[in-house]
């Protein structure tokens, strides 16, 4: 009696929660652009119960080749109720052109709701294979490897970037991928741009909605003018293609195929820097920069050092040009500069600063001028050369020798040593040693500690040895510990994806198949659940363990099409670890 009451209350609560949602009727299509001999799927969805009198739009320019098919789904996750009722049609265009599919309508609580109209572009007929249901053809039509270049006509020395994207539609799934041939950047200075992971984003490709992941991104700086070629990237992708059938639980059954995809070769037309108005001191700097020359000390004594810093800051090809050289009077001794680079890599070029520090040591008293220094660079945005000139710098040496009157300032006459002040001090030649008082180690506290330490270590060592023997004799416990360690090793990849639903369940399913492949020596990803069950029965595995393993595999398929929380993913992870431990102990 109480059970019936609880069920009634639960149903009432769910009904009230669903009725509190704001009702909306939405329309989506599988593609917005297609050939006249192709088909598209349109789906009308309502998110509230009690909807009635659905009226489809007038598909004037299309022929209905399938549908309407109706489906209803309802879920309760973390106290939130979601409901969806959909009506699906398969349409084929009658002719080429640009058409609008009008709005559909439905009644909810006495109110009529309408869907959004959708624009569809119908183009010339496309080549269709003899068997359009071929999994290889489906994979090829739903996955694209694309190279995106930020600028096709940069100047020599101007930074651009290339980004490799893998587009894939909702009609297929991706289980694994590997780059088989990396792109070559001949004629470019290049550097990979590091990214945090590979998040999946939504985007458009050829007028259709796709999901995509950025596989590789690199900064390129042309080092020569003319046509420069970026060779294609090639990769193998394991694609899960729907077979059109479903299992007992209604999950779509897929077939895995391996396909090689290649990006299109890209040609960059690098423009030579203009010769007109090119400064004489130009050394190849391209970008937007600031320039500065500074002294650490303006006033000093002879033989006291100072530093001259020559610095270029900004954005551009900072690592590909030389800094201007400074000119100093011959009375100032200048050492080779120390170069320091503080440069970071971004998608639009190198950013930071490059500095050269000169150490200067004056030899004679006087005031010396360091002439002004100029730095020239080419600004690709304004397409002009720009020059920055610093002010003159002065070094004032207050104390020191006078500059010799003769021209040979490097000649120094021999002089006698003169004693001034405390240059030479008294050196003591005799000593007065006193004995130090030291504590005798014999019969000290440390003496007795070290004496008793080996005696105390004997029972400790016996205790550790007994515990080790007990652990070694526990055969079942050792097997469980070994199996648990193996499960954690296999599940490490899935654990890293916790919180990312699709990546986590794809990794989890791949882990389970890899484990069986390692233990049974067969490729389980291409066989059915029944075949896996027979293989495990042949290895004398308990029926309950086999059932748990198959349930985890089914959960991986089911979870991709339903909302899943982080808590549920952690529970699924623990369940998988437990079932691998049980399997390994029995195998």
């Amino acid at each position: 009696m109480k059970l019936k009451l609880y069920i009634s209350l639960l149903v009432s609560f769910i009904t009230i929660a669903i009725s509190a949602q704001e009702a909306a009727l939405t329309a989506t299509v599988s593609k917005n652009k297609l050939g006249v001999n192709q088909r598209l799927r349109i789906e009308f969805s309502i998110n509230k119960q009690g909807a009635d009198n659905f009226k489809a739009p007038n598909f004037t320019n299309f022929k209905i080749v399938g549908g309407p098919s109706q489906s209803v789904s309802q879920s309760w996750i973390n106290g939130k109720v979601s409901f969806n009722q959909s009506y699906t049609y398969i349409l084929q265009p009658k002719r080429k052109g640009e058409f609008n599919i009008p709005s559909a309508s439905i009644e909810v609580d006495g109110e009529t709701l309408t869907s959004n109209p959708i624009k569809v572009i119908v183009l010339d007929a496309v080549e269709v294979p003899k068997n359009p249901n071929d999994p290889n053809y489906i994979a090829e039509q739903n996955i694209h490897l694309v190279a995106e270049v930020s600028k096709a006509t940069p100047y020599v020395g101007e930074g651009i970037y290339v980004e490799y994207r893998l587009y894939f539609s909702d009609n297929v799934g991706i289980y694994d991928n590997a780059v088989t041939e990396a792109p070559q950047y001949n004629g470019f200075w290049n550097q990979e741009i590091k990214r945090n992971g590979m998040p999946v984003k939504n985007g458009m490709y050829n007028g259709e909605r796709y999901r995509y992941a950025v596989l590789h991104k690199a900064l390129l700086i042309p080092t020569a003018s003319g046509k420069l070629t970026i060779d294609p990237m090639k990769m193998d992708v394991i694609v899960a293609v729907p077979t059109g059938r479903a299992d007992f639980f209604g999950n779509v059954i897929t077939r895995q195929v391996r396909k090689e995809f290649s990006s299109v070769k890209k040609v960059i037309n690098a423009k030579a820097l203009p010769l007109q108005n090119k400064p004489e001191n130009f050394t190849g700097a391209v970008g937007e920069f600031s320039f500065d020359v500074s002294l650490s000390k303006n006033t000093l004594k002879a033989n006291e050092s100072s530093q001259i810093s020559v610095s270029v800051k900004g954005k551009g090809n900072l690592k590909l040009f030389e800094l201007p050289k400074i000119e100093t009077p011959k009375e100032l001794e200048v050492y080779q500069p120390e170069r320091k680079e503080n440069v970071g890599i971004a998608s639009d070029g190198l950013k930071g600063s490059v500095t050269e520090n000169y150490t200067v040591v004056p030899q004679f008293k006087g005031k010396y001028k360091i002439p002004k220094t100029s730095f020239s660079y080419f600004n690709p945005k304004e397409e002009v050369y720009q020059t920055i000139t610093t002010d003159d710098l002065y070094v004032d040496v207050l104390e020191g020798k006078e500059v010799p009157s003769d021209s040979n300032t490097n000649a120094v006459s021999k002089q006698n040593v003169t004693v001034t002040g405390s240059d030479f001090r008294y050196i003591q030649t005799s000593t007065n040693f006193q004995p130090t008082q030291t504590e005798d180690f014999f019969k000290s506290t440390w003496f007795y500690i070290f004496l008793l330490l080996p005696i105390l270590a004997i029972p400790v060592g016996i205790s550790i040895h007994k515990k080790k023997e007990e652990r070694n004799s526990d055969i079942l416990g050792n097997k469980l510990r070994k199996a648990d360690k193996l499960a954690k090793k296999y599940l490490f990849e899935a654990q890293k994806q916790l919180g990312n639903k699709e990546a986590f369940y794809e990794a989890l399913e791949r882990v389970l198949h890899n484990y069986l492949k390692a233990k049974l020596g067969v490729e389980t990803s291409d066989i059915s659940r029944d075949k896996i069950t027979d293989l495990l029965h042949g290895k004398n595995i308990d029926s309950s363990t086999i059932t748990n393993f198959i349930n985890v595999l089914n959960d991986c398929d089911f979870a991709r099409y339903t909302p899943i929380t982080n808590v549920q993913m952690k529970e699924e992870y623990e369940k998988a670890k437990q079932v691998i431990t049980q399997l390994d102990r029995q195998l």
Side-chain angles (χ1 to χ4, degrees):
M1 188 66 182
K2 288 184 178 181
L3 180 60
K4 291 182 179 180
L5 178 62
Y6 290 151
I7 293 175
S8 300
L9 290 174
L10 181 61
V11 172
S12 300
F13 182 71
I14 293 175
T15 304
I16 293 171
I18 293 175
S19 62
Q21 295 178 353
E22 184 177 353
L25 179 63
T26 57
T28 57
V29 292
S30 59
K31 57 180 71 176
N32 294 89
K33 187 183 294 184
L34 71 160
V36 71
N37 60 335
Q38 291 182 304
R39 300 175 179 181
L40 66 86
R41 183 182 70 255
I42 184 168
E43 182 180 281
F44 302 94
S45 301
I46 180 72
N47 63 344
K48 194 172 184 180
Q49 284 184 332
D52 196 10
N53 295 330
F54 173 76
K55 293 183 180 179
N58 185 6
F59 301 112
T60 306
N61 300 294
F62 296 88
K63 176 183 177 182
I64 300 176
V65 295
S69 59
Q70 184 175 349
S71 65
V72 177
S73 64
Q74 182 174 313
S75 62
W76 176 280
I77 301 174
N78 292 337
K80 294 183 179 181
V81 181
S82 62
F83 174 83
N84 184 71
Q85 182 175 345
S86 63
Y87 304 85
T88 304
Y89 295 83
I90 306 298
L91 307 178
Q92 182 171 352
K94 296 179 180 178
R95 61 181 183 274
K96 295 190 300 180
E98 187 174 308
F99 308 113
N100 282 325
I101 299 178
S103 303
S105 65
I106 198 169
E107 293 182 4
V108 180
D109 298 333
E111 181 183 359
T112 301
L113 302 178
T114 58
S115 64
N116 51 297
I118 295 180
K119 180 188 290 185
V120 176
I121 300 174
V122 182
L123 305 174
D124 292 329
V126 298
E127 184 179 353
V128 179
K130 296 180 180 179
N131 182 11
N133 296 320
D134 180 13
N136 290 285
Y137 171 76
I138 296 173
E140 185 176 345
Q141 294 298 311
N142 288 274
I143 295 180
H144 309 278
L145 180 59
V146 180
E148 301 281 354
V149 178
S150 61
K151 190 174 183 179
T153 57
Y155 281 99
V156 172
E158 182 182 1
I160 62 173
Y161 72 85
V162 60
E163 185 174 88
Y164 292 89
R165 297 180 178 181
L166 185 66
Y167 286 90
F168 53 97
S169 72
D170 293 331
N171 300 326
V172 296
I174 295 178
Y175 275 86
D176 199 4
N177 64 83
V179 176
T180 58
E181 186 174 328
Q184 300 296 318
Y185 307 117
N186 297 321
F188 296 93
W189 181 93
N190 66 89
Q191 181 68 51
E192 181 182 358
I193 300 174
K194 294 184 178 180
R195 297 162 293 107
N196 295 324
M198 287 192 295
V200 177
K201 302 178 182 179
N202 294 319
M204 300 293 293
Y205 178 75
N206 284 344
E208 299 181 22
R209 290 180 303 167
Y210 277 83
R211 292 179 295 166
Y212 72 90
V214 178
L215 305 177
H216 178 77
K217 192 172 185 179
L219 170 67
L220 307 179
I221 298 179
T223 57
S225 60
K227 290 187 177 182
L228 305 178
T229 302
I230 302 176
D231 293 334
M233 172 189 278
K234 296 181 181 180
M235 65 185 307
D236 282 345
V237 181
I238 298 178
V239 187
V241 180
T243 61
R245 297 179 290 112
D247 59 15
F248 176 78
F249 299 98
N251 300 322
V252 177
I253 298 176
T254 61
R255 177 184 174 184
Q256 293 185 13
V257 294
R258 182 185 294 273
K259 287 285 294 179
E260 183 182 64
F261 294 90
S262 175
S263 63
V264 178
K265 182 196 303 183
K266 291 288 183 179
V267 177
I268 303 298
N269 292 309
K271 297 183 292 185
L273 297 177
L275 296 177
Q276 185 178 4
N277 299 325
K278 183 178 179 180
E280 292 183 0
N281 65 338
F282 178 73
T283 58
V286 179
E288 299 178 41
F289 304 105
S290 63
F291 177 63
D292 181 62
V293 178
S294 61
L295 266 171
S296 62
K297 291 181 182 179
N298 297 89
T299 304
L300 62 160
K301 302 175 183 178
N303 297 320
E304 185 179 355
S305 66
S306 178
Q307 276 197 338
I308 302 176
S309 293
V310 181
S311 178
V312 173
K313 298 180 181 179
K315 178 179 67 175
N317 58 342
L318 284 165
K319 294 187 176 184
L320 303 180
F321 61 85
E322 295 294 329
L323 297 185
K325 303 298 181 182
I326 60 169
E327 297 180 4
T328 59
K330 62 182 180 180
E331 290 81 9
L332 300 179
E333 186 176 354
V334 181
Y335 295 89
Q336 286 294 325
E338 178 188 1
R339 186 180 178 96
K340 293 184 178 180
E341 295 183 354
N342 183 18
V343 180
I345 298 174
S347 59
D348 55 349
L350 299 172
K351 293 181 179 179
S353 64
V354 178
T355 305
E356 288 185 349
N357 293 320
Y358 295 81
T359 300
V360 178
V361 181
Q363 299 296 314
F364 304 98
K365 180 180 178 181
K367 190 170 185 178
Y368 305 99
K369 182 178 78 170
I370 299 175
K372 57 188 176 183
T373 308
S374 296
F375 169 70
S376 297
Y377 65 94
F378 180 76
N379 190 324
K381 289 185 177 180
E382 300 180 7
E383 299 185 339
V384 294
Y385 290 98
Q386 296 179 343
T387 300
I388 303 173
T389 304
T390 62
D391 297 330
D392 295 333
L393 298 178
Y394 294 91
V395 178
D396 195 2
V397 183
L398 301 179
E399 298 180 12
K401 296 179 294 182
E402 296 291 340
V403 179
S405 57
D406 59 338
S407 59
N408 187 8
T409 58
N410 293 327
V412 180
S413 60
K414 183 177 179 182
Q415 299 179 0
N416 295 325
V417 177
T418 58
V419 179
T420 58
S422 58
D423 288 345
F424 297 93
R425 297 184 180 180
Y426 173 73
I427 301 175
Q428 190 171 349
T429 58
S430 62
T431 58
N432 184 17
F433 292 103
Q434 296 292 333
T436 58
Q437 298 294 328
T438 57
E439 184 181 353
D440 193 357
F441 177 72
F442 181 66
K443 293 185 179 180
S444 64
T445 304
W446 284 107
F447 171 78
Y448 288 108
I449 290 175
F450 286 120
L451 184 65
L452 296 175
L453 190 61
I455 300 174
L456 296 174
I458 293 174
V460 176
I462 294 174
S463 177
I464 294 174
H465 181 69
K466 286 184 177 180
K467 288 185 177 293
K468 185 176 180 180
E469 286 184 344
E470 292 176 0
R471 186 182 181 90
N472 292 337
S473 62
D474 184 11
I475 299 175
L476 179 59
N478 287 334
K479 285 186 177 181
L480 287 173
R481 282 187 289 271
K482 184 178 179 181
D484 187 59
K485 183 178 180 181
L486 183 67
K488 290 179 179 179
K489 175 184 175 182
Y490 269 93
L491 290 168
F492 177 71
E493 180 184 355
Q495 188 181 20
K496 292 191 298 183
Q497 301 295 342
L498 279 171
N500 187 350
K501 186 187 77 171
E502 291 188 8
F504 169 75
Y505 281 103
E506 287 177 4
L508 187 61
E509 185 174 13
R510 187 163 59 249
V511 162
L512 295 175
H513 283 293
N514 288 342
Y515 172 78
L516 287 185
K517 178 181 177 181
K519 289 294 181 180
L520 304 180
V522 295
E523 188 66 54
T524 60
S525 58
D526 294 332
I527 60 178
S528 64
R529 305 284 196 268
D530 295 336
K531 184 64 176 178
I532 293 174
T533 302
D534 294 338
L535 288 172
L536 293 177
H537 272 304
K539 295 292 183 179
N540 298 323
I541 304 299
D542 292 342
S543 298
S544 60
T545 304
I546 297 174
T547 302
N548 292 336
F549 185 86
I550 298 300
N551 287 340
V552 175
L553 281 177
N554 291 333
D555 290 345
C556 291
D557 285 337
F558 181 75
R560 294 197 187 104
Y561 307 97
T562 58
I564 297 295
T565 64
N566 291 344
V567 175
Q568 289 173 299
M569 279 190 275
K570 289 181 180 178
E571 292 177 353
E572 206 69 56
Y573 172 82
E574 294 297 332
K575 190 188 299 181
K577 185 172 74 172
Q578 182 180 2
V579 75
I580 289 179
T581 302
Q582 293 173 353
L583 276 174
D584 198 70
R585 179 165 55 88
Q586 296 179 45
L587 286 171

